Amino acid sequence: MHVHHGPHAEHAAGAHGGPGAWPAGAAYPAVEPDRFTRLVLRLHARAPRWAVPLAALGCVGLGMAYALLSDPTHSDPDARPTCLLKLTTGLDCPGCGGTRALWYVLHADLPAAARHHFLFVFSLPFLAWLFVSWAGNRAFGWRLPELRISPKVIGGFLALWLAFSVVRNLPWAPFTSLYV
């Protein structure tokens, strides 16, 4: 194995085999995977192309089933499971209201869903398209148009989400209308 050293490697490692120097020609041996890792790698190699998208869809389905069965719109704010941030500080977390918003989306009540978590409702069509295009490509080889989101747009969305998280916790009107 040939190791390429940058122009400053000799200086960083000690020019004459000092305390930080690598032994000449030393390479780490490949680590043998443990039994569980070998099992996972074998299962992955033998799994059909559609298995991973189906598993992801199953996880999304379980989340939807949880929202439908738990009916978070009629539970107490401190009912289990509860948000640890809300329980300890009384503040709404960045995702607070998301489960209720999902419940309302699943019941086709978009205004109520947006009232509980507008950014969640706004991002759902984008997340759905990203999943469909990924799963279609992975499972069936479909080449759907990709949703290209620049790092600036992602950064802007995260900044907006952070601002929303702060503003919804301010104790003055009109911000108190954002409490969930």
Side-chain angles (χ1 to χ4, degrees):
M1 176 178 171
H2 175 55
V3 179
H4 175 70
H5 296 287
H8 304 290
E10 212 174 274
H11 175 68
H16 302 290
W22 288 88
Y28 290 107
V31 177
E32 289 294 320
D34 59 87
R35 288 174 53 179
F36 180 73
T37 303
R38 287 192 307 267
L39 172 70
V40 169
L41 290 174
R42 272 195 316 271
L43 288 174
H44 181 266
R46 294 177 183 166
R49 293 175 54 160
W50 48 264
V52 173
L54 184 64
L57 188 62
C59 291
V60 170
L62 286 174
M64 289 179 176
Y66 169 77
L68 286 171
L69 294 174
S70 68
D71 190 3
T73 61
H74 291 108
S75 61
D76 294 327
D78 59 348
R80 291 200 172 134
T82 187
C83 174
L84 187 58
L85 182 72
K86 180 94 167 181
L87 184 66
T88 57
T89 66
L91 298 173
D92 289 339
C93 76
C96 201
T99 307
R100 285 169 279 175
L102 176 62
W103 191 89
Y104 283 116
V105 165
L106 293 174
H107 287 85
D109 189 352
L110 292 181
R115 161 71 181 90
H116 285 278
H117 204 297
F118 175 77
L119 291 176
F120 171 75
V121 176
F122 173 78
S123 66
L124 275 178
F126 300 103
L127 293 172
W129 180 256
L130 286 170
F131 177 77
V132 167
S133 64
W134 168 78
N137 185 359
R138 172 87 182 181
F140 307 112
W142 297 344
R143 293 285 179 202
L144 299 174
E146 291 183 19
L147 181 62
R148 296 192 187 269
I149 303 173
S150 73
K152 287 183 180 181
V153 171
I154 292 173
F157 179 79
L158 292 175
L160 180 66
W161 194 5
L162 177 64
F164 173 71
S165 300
V166 170
V167 166
R168 76 188 312 190
N169 284 296
L170 295 176
W172 314 288
F175 307 115
T176 53
S177 66
L178 297 173
Y179 289 173
V180 289

